[in-house]
């Protein structure tokens, strides 16, 4: 085992280091090393502290310099602010002066406005009075015009409704006629055939001529030799119609018949067998042949009378015979009947107009009542703000 050796610094002799010799040296060496290390650490610490102090001093100095710079800048800003404040004070003083002048002008303008308001109020009051009078006159005119318009509209509506009702009534009648036409036509044709058959069997020497459909002249003609002609018409309906007689008289005149007979299952009230009504013989169907016998006898006697006087009659007698005969009577009836129809139409029209006048009078009263109610409602809501309309004042209406 090689022991560690040390060289003597004086004689350069190597001395082996034994445990007894090296122990104290090692201790001392350790102590010296520790002392040196502590000295080095202390020196390093001092160096670090010095550097830190230097850095802190430099930073503090920089900070102080920065603070001084900021303080200078702040002082400059304060100086500028003082300058701005002085300028602002100057401007504020000028603004106060301008405001005072503006207030003075505003007061002057207010005084002028008050004067103008008074002038305008006076002008408005005068114009309002004129406008109120004008509006009152216009309202009265409008009320009158509206009343006329309402009356005209009501009259037009009423006329339209009347026309509609009349049109509907006519349509209903036409439909009813179309519905009844088939059965009535068949019944009428059956009655006509029965009548012709009865007359042909009862009077084989007479000529029975049926009147074609669509031709004027009732149903058939009975020519009694050379003594005269009887016009026959057969009806088989559920109701009596007074318009059959004027039509049959016209047919009698158109064909030149001496007598006209209407046979019907329905006759005027109180007529059970046969009778002469307005120049037309009306008979029940079962009395048609007996009546034809009577009429044929009358025509024969009239023909005999005319034959006796033929060639002997003077103009006066001929005129008398004409005036008292059936031909003149038929002519006169043909002239009078249109006048009677016109008179009946005038009476009917007069009644209708009276009914319309009464209806319009009621409508006018309702319109006036509605207008008075509306006027009263407006006066009740607005009070004196609404101008009075003399035409709608109750006292004036009662006085009228």
């Amino acid at each position: 085992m090689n022991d560690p050796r040390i060289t003597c610094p004086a004689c350069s002799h190597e001395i082996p280091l034994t445990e007894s010799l090296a122990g104290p040296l090692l201790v001392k060496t350790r102590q010296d090393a520790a002392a040196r290390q502590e000295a080095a650490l202390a020196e390093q610490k001092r160096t670090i502290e010095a550097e830190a102090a230097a850095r802190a001093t430099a930073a503090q100095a920089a900070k102080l310099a920065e603070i001084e710079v900021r303080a200078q800048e702040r002082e400059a800003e304060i100086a500028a602010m003082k300058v701005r404040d002085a300028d602002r004070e100057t401007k504020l003083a000028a603004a106060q002066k301008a405001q005072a002048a503006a207030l003075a002008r505003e007061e002057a303008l207010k005084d002028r406005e008050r004067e103008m308001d008074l002038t305008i109020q006076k002008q408005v009051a005068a114009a309002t009075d004129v406008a109120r009078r004008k509006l009152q006159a216009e309202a009265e005119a409008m009320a009158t015009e509206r009343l006329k318009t309402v009356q005209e509209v009501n009259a037009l509506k009423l006329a339209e409704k009347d026309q509609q009702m009349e049109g509907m009534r006519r349509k209903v009648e036409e439909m009813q006629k179309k519905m009844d036409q088939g059965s009535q036509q068949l019944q009428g044709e059956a009655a006509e055939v029965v009548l012709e058959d009865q007359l042909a069997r009862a009077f084989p020497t007479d000529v029975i001529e049926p009147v074609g459909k669509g031709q004027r002249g009732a149903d058939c003609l009975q020519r009694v030799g050379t003594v005269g002609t009887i016009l026959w018409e057969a009806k088989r309906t559920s109701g009596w119609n007074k318009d059959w007689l004027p039509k049959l008289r016209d047919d009698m005149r158109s064909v030149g018949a001496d007598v006209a007979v209407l046979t019907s299952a329905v006759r005027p009230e109180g007529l059970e067998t046969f009778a002469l009504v307005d120049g037309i013989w009306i008979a029940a169907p079962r009395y048609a042949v007996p009546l034809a016998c009577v009429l044929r006898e009358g025509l024969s006697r009239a023909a005999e009378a005319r034959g006796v006087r033929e060639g002997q009659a003077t103009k006066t007698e001929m005129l008398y015979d004409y005036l008292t005969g059936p031909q003149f009577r038929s002519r006169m009836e043909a002239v009078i009947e249109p006048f009677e129809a016109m008179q009946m139409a005038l009476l009917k029209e007069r009644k209708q107009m009276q009914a319309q006048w009464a209806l319009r009078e009621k409508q006018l009263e309702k319109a006036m009542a509605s207008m008075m109610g509306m006027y009263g409602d407006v006066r009740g809501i607005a009070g004196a703000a609404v101008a009075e309309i003399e035409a709608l004042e109750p006292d004036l209406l009662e006085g009228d």
Side-chain angles (χ1 to χ4, degrees):
M1 181 174 182
N2 292 327
D3 293 331
R5 296 177 181 276
I6 62 172
T7 300
C8 178
C11 61
S12 304
H13 182 69
E14 294 181 358
I15 301 172
L17 292 176
T18 62
E19 185 175 357
S20 60
L21 181 61
L25 290 174
L26 292 172
V27 172
K28 185 177 179 181
T29 301
R30 290 191 185 103
Q31 290 177 352
D32 291 341
R36 285 195 302 273
Q37 187 175 5
E38 288 180 358
L41 291 174
E43 183 67 23
Q44 187 177 3
K45 182 178 181 182
R46 286 193 296 273
T47 302
I48 292 171
E49 290 177 352
E51 291 177 356
R55 285 196 298 272
T57 301
Q60 187 174 7
K63 191 172 184 180
L64 288 174
E66 184 179 357
I67 291 172
E68 288 180 357
V69 172
R70 290 181 179 176
Q72 291 176 359
E73 292 177 354
R74 183 67 55 83
E75 289 178 356
E77 290 179 358
I78 291 172
M81 289 176 66
K82 289 181 179 180
V83 173
R84 287 196 298 270
D85 289 339
D87 188 14
R88 189 176 298 166
E89 290 292 335
T90 303
K91 291 181 179 179
L92 180 61
Q96 289 177 350
K97 291 181 181 179
Q99 185 177 7
L103 291 174
R105 288 194 299 270
E106 186 177 356
E107 290 296 329
L109 288 174
K110 287 183 179 179
D111 293 338
R112 292 182 181 178
E113 288 179 357
R114 294 190 189 97
E115 294 178 357
M116 290 178 66
D117 288 340
L118 292 174
T119 304
I120 291 172
Q121 288 178 1
K122 292 179 181 179
Q123 294 177 355
V124 168
T128 302
D129 189 19
V130 175
R132 183 179 63 81
R133 294 177 182 176
K134 184 177 179 180
L135 288 174
Q136 181 177 356
E138 291 179 355
E140 292 176 358
M142 287 177 64
T144 304
E145 188 65 24
R146 185 174 297 174
L147 185 59
K148 292 180 179 178
T149 304
V150 169
Q151 292 175 356
E152 293 176 356
V153 170
N154 291 334
L156 290 174
K157 290 182 177 179
L158 182 61
E160 290 177 358
K161 289 182 179 179
D162 291 341
Q163 291 179 357
Q164 292 177 357
M165 292 297 293
E166 183 66 20
M168 292 177 64
R169 185 183 64 79
R170 290 177 180 176
K171 288 182 180 179
V172 171
E173 290 179 354
E174 289 177 0
M175 292 177 65
Q176 187 66 32
K177 288 179 180 179
K178 289 180 180 179
M179 292 174 63
D180 298 340
Q181 186 175 4
S183 60
Q184 290 181 0
Q185 185 174 359
L186 292 175
Q187 293 175 2
E189 291 176 356
E192 179 182 350
V193 171
V194 171
L195 177 62
E196 292 176 2
D197 184 65
Q198 289 178 348
L199 295 174
R201 285 189 286 105
F203 311 104
T205 59
D206 294 346
V207 179
I208 308 300
E209 296 179 0
V211 178
K213 296 191 178 299
Q215 298 180 1
R216 192 176 183 87
D219 291 335
C220 66
L221 284 171
Q222 181 182 1
R223 300 189 183 277
V224 186
T226 59
V227 299
T229 304
I230 302 175
L231 178 65
W232 292 87
E233 183 166 1
K235 296 288 186 182
R236 183 173 292 181
T237 59
S238 58
W240 170 257
N241 190 348
K242 62 181 181 180
D243 294 334
W244 293 340
L245 301 181
K247 178 182 178 300
L248 190 55
R249 284 196 296 268
D250 292 340
D251 294 340
M252 183 179 66
R253 299 186 194 103
S254 63
V255 299
D258 298 300
V259 183
V261 181
L262 174 65
T263 61
S264 174
V266 180
R267 296 169 300 281
E269 186 177 358
L271 201 161
E272 298 295 334
T273 57
F274 55 86
L276 183 64
V277 179
D278 295 337
I280 301 295
W281 285 95
I282 301 175
R286 63 179 179 272
Y287 294 106
V289 174
L291 179 60
C293 293
V294 174
L295 295 177
R296 290 179 80 258
E297 183 66 20
L299 291 175
S300 298
R301 291 185 180 183
E304 290 176 0
R306 286 197 301 271
V308 171
R309 291 182 302 182
E310 188 176 355
Q312 300 178 1
T314 62
K315 291 184 179 181
T316 302
E317 292 174 347
M318 292 174 63
L319 181 60
Y320 176 78
D321 292 338
Y322 175 74
L323 293 177
T324 57
Q327 187 177 3
F328 178 75
R329 184 186 64 186
S330 298
R331 296 291 185 185
M332 292 302 298
E333 289 175 351
V335 173
I336 294 173
E337 284 177 2
F339 289 102
E340 291 179 347
M342 291 174 61
Q343 186 177 9
M344 294 298 295
L346 287 174
L347 291 175
K348 184 178 180 181
E349 185 176 359
R350 180 181 298 173
K351 291 179 181 179
Q352 291 177 352
M353 290 303 298
Q354 288 176 351
Q356 289 182 2
W357 291 338
L359 179 60
R360 290 178 182 176
E361 186 176 1
K362 293 295 183 182
Q363 291 175 349
L364 179 60
E365 291 178 358
K366 290 181 180 180
M368 288 298 296
S370 300
M371 185 67 69
M372 285 291 296
M374 182 179 66
Y375 176 69
D377 292 340
V378 175
R379 288 294 303 274
I381 294 172
V386 179
E388 294 182 357
I389 300 176
E390 295 181 359
L392 297 178
E393 288 299 323
D395 295 338
L396 182 59
L397 291 176
E398 291 177 1
D400 292 341

